[in-house]
């Protein structure tokens, strides 16, 4: 209490106005409006924190599912093949961020079965090495990657691709590649019959409906290559992939082309970032509305406290001190609302996996049917930089909202204010 009493009088009066209201009905009403202002700012801040956390959670969930099939970084040789891929692998491992590497061949083709044709990305891999660069082996629901034996022309494909072709384990499927071959009947695409030995489910429809794995040697034979197309790398922190890719470009010899996973999905990530920015702007308007409510509260307070302002002016207070009083009052309301909103938003974001199922049981609904969205729980990824940014925006808007009412209070003329008192 001694600390409070030692504050400048502008702070003491501002604090009193913030919690004033028990002596008269008018003061009580103004105090109630202040409470509404605090609540409005708190709800806006909490809503923004929760929504951005959920969007971050969905982005993380989709990214994780993408990277169950994709590698963090891919290294290509501009000539089309990488005969010295072992040496390139050793160069890559010189970077401490690289934790795994494996060669691959990738091409595009068509898969044909009983008149049904589907496009597919065909990736040739070494089954025993694939776990070093992706989680594909753990995504196989039927069969196994280990069944990809060189020379047997076996294939593992996504569940949606297999379903669209109407095939199961042990069935045959014809692969057609774009590269043509000369036959007595003219130019025809190269074809080869493969046996389905595995079905995987990455949880990302684009890959489940268009990806297939074959053995590296079989892919090289189909593409008529004498070496892999390049290397796929895994790093310790996937978010550092762009920076590590730049380091590898500088350190690896041979003029290799290097791209990270974010480049392969640049359109999707750009769309997500744009959506997050627009959502931030839209939800910030909620805080802005609460700030307008704060303006109304301060204007009412200035109107009701004109006699007090006049007395303070006659006692020697400067217009600047009067302005400071009401700025302190508004800033305190904004700060209290921001702190309450941050606390509520963080609490909900961290416990959304408990709150959402409770609401679903209470209302008897399911927000995310697994057969449609492939996930049944609402994901949340709370990021403290987002929380700090949201809190900062709320405090700034609250402070800006105090300027006009505070300036109006500083312009009150004592004689006119006391004329009818």
């Amino acid at each position: 209490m001694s600390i409070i009493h030692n504050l400048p009088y502008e702070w003491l009066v501002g604090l009193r106005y913030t919690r004033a209201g028990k002596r008269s009905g008018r003061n009580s009403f103004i105090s109630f409006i202040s409470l509404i202002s605090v609540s409005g700012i708190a709800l806006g801040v909490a809503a923004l924190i929760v929504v951005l956390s959920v969007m971050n959670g969905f982005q993380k969930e989709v990214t994780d599912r993408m990277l169950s099939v994709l590698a963090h970084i891919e290294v290509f040789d501009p000539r089309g093949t990488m005969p010295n891929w072992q040496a390139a692998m050793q160069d890559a491992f010189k970077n401490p961020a690289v934790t795994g590497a494996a060669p691959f061949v990738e091409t595009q083709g068509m898969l044909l079965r009983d008149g049904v044709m589907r496009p597919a990305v065909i990736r040739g891999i070494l089954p025993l090495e694939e776990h070093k660069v992706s989680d594909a082996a753990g995504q196989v629901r039927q069969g196994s990657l280990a069944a990809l034996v060189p020379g047997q022309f076996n294939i593992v494909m996504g569940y949606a691709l297999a379903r669209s072709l109407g095939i199961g384990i042990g069935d045959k499927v014809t692969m057609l590649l774009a590269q043509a071959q000369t036959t007595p009947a003219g130019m025809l695409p190269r074809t080869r019959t493969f046996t389905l030995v595995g079905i995987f489910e990455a949880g990302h429809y684009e890959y489940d409906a268009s990806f297939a794995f074959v053995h590296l040697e079989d892919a090289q034979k189909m593409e008529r290559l004498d070496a892999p197309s390049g290397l796929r790398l895994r790093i310790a922190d996937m978010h550092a992939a762009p920076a590590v890719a730049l380091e590898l470009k500088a350190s690896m010899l041979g003029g290799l082309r290097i791209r990270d996973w974010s480049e392969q999905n640049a359109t999707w990530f750009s769309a997500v970032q744009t959506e997050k920015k627009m959502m931030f702007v839209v939800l910030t308007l909620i805080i802005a509305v609460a700030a307008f409510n704060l303006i109304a509260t301060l204007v009412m307070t200035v109107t009701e406290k004109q006699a007090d302002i006049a007395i303070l002016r006659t006692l020697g207070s400067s217009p600047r001190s009067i302005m400071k009083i009401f700025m302190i009052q508004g800033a305190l309301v904004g700060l209290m609302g921001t702190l309450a909103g941050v606390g509520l938003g963080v609490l909900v974001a961290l416990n959304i996996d408990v709150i959402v199922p409770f609401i679903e049981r209470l209302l008897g609904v399911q927000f995310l049917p697994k057969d449609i969205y492939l996930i049944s729980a609402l994901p949340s990824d709370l990021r403290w930089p987002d929380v700090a940014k949201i809190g900062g925006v709320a405090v700034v808007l609250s402070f800006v909202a105090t300027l006009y009412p505070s300036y109006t209070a500083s312009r009150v003329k004592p004689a006119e204010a006391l004329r009818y008192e």
Side-chain angles (χ1 to χ4, degrees):
M1 292 299 293
S2 60
I3 297 176
I4 295 178
H5 289 304
N6 290 331
L7 291 173
Y9 78 92
E10 294 96 342
W11 281 88
L12 295 175
V13 177
L15 285 168
R16 182 174 180 180
Y17 284 175
T18 303
R19 56 187 176 84
K22 295 186 178 179
R23 293 186 179 179
S24 68
R26 184 183 297 178
N27 281 345
S28 297
F29 177 71
I30 293 174
S31 182
F32 173 74
I33 295 298
S34 297
L35 180 62
I36 295 299
S37 299
V38 171
S39 301
I41 294 172
L43 289 175
V45 170
L48 194 48
I49 290 174
V50 172
V51 169
L52 288 185
S53 296
V54 170
M55 293 186 70
N56 290 334
F58 272 112
Q59 182 180 0
K60 183 177 183 298
E61 187 76 20
V62 173
T63 300
D64 289 345
R65 295 185 181 206
M66 283 181 177
L67 295 180
S68 67
V69 177
L70 301 178
H72 293 167
I73 296 175
E74 292 183 348
V75 181
F76 300 93
D77 193 308
R79 295 169 295 180
T81 61
M82 188 181 288
N84 58 340
W85 63 270
Q86 292 96 338
M89 182 185 297
Q90 295 302 318
D91 285 344
F93 275 121
K94 291 178 182 178
N95 190 307
V98 178
T99 59
F104 77 105
V105 169
E106 189 166 293
T107 187
Q108 295 183 354
M110 303 293 291
L111 296 178
L112 175 64
R113 165 78 177 187
D114 295 336
V116 179
M117 186 177 293
R118 294 290 182 269
V121 176
I122 314 300
R123 178 174 292 161
I125 62 171
L126 293 175
L128 298 181
E129 303 293 321
E130 184 63 16
H131 71 278
K132 297 179 180 179
V133 293
S134 79
D135 300 323
Q139 303 291 345
V140 178
R141 299 292 177 255
Q142 299 181 41
S144 170
L145 279 184
L148 296 178
V149 179
Q152 295 188 6
F153 293 95
N154 294 331
I155 189 170
V156 174
M157 65 178 65
Y159 84 95
L161 181 58
R163 185 175 60 186
S164 65
L165 291 169
I167 60 176
I169 300 297
D171 291 339
K172 304 290 185 179
V173 63
T174 301
M175 182 185 299
L176 294 82
L177 297 182
Q179 295 87 347
Q181 59 182 350
T182 303
T183 68
M187 300 294 291
L188 295 175
R190 294 207 308 273
T191 63
R192 184 78 192 195
T193 300
F194 282 77
T195 303
L196 183 64
V197 295
I199 296 175
F200 71 87
E201 181 179 359
H204 193 288
Y205 186 79
E206 178 183 350
Y207 300 114
D208 290 336
S210 63
F211 256 71
F213 296 102
V214 300
H215 195 278
L216 180 67
E217 293 185 14
D218 294 342
Q220 290 179 200
K221 290 178 182 177
M222 288 291 296
E223 286 290 301
R224 296 177 180 175
L225 301 176
D226 56 3
S229 302
L231 292 173
R232 301 170 68 221
L233 308 178
R234 169 161 284 194
I235 61 176
D237 180 10
M238 67 177 184
H239 298 293
V244 175
L246 290 176
E247 294 175 2
L248 292 173
K249 286 180 182 178
S251 63
M252 296 184 71
L253 304 176
L256 301 175
R257 180 171 174 264
I258 301 174
R259 68 178 183 181
D260 63 88
W261 61 272
S262 63
E263 291 183 56
Q264 300 178 58
N265 301 276
T267 302
W268 184 83
F269 282 101
S270 177
V272 170
Q273 292 303 319
T274 301
E275 185 178 354
K276 285 177 63 178
K277 290 177 182 177
M278 292 305 300
M279 189 63 68
F280 183 89
V281 172
V282 170
L283 292 179
T284 300
L285 294 178
I286 299 176
I287 305 175
V289 170
F292 277 112
N293 191 22
L294 179 57
I295 294 175
T297 302
L298 291 177
V299 169
M300 294 175 64
T301 304
V302 170
T303 302
E304 197 268 339
K305 299 293 185 182
Q306 286 200 11
D308 294 2
I309 295 170
I311 292 172
L312 287 171
R313 290 295 308 278
T314 57
L315 292 175
S317 294
S318 65
R320 182 178 179 182
S321 295
I322 299 299
M323 189 173 181
K324 187 183 293 185
I325 288 172
F326 291 95
M327 289 180 67
I328 289 171
Q329 180 188 355
L332 287 173
V333 170
L335 185 60
M336 288 189 294
T338 301
L339 291 176
V342 168
L344 178 62
V346 169
L347 183 65
V348 173
L350 291 177
N351 295 280
I352 203 165
D353 57 333
V354 177
I355 296 173
V356 171
F358 172 76
I359 296 175
E360 289 179 336
R361 290 193 300 269
L362 187 65
L363 301 179
V365 298
Q366 188 175 7
F367 297 131
L368 295 173
K370 189 173 183 180
D371 56 342
I372 298 177
Y373 296 100
L374 300 175
I375 56 175
S376 57
L378 196 65
S380 177
D381 182 18
L382 180 68
R383 298 179 183 176
W384 292 108
D386 286 347
V387 175
K389 182 166 61 175
I390 294 167
V393 168
V395 170
V396 169
L397 286 177
S398 300
F399 178 78
V400 171
T402 68
L403 297 179
Y404 172 74
S406 302
Y407 177 76
T408 302
S410 70
R411 304 295 293 177
V412 170
K413 297 180 180 179
E416 294 183 5
L418 293 174
R419 179 177 300 174
Y420 301 104
E421 292 293 331

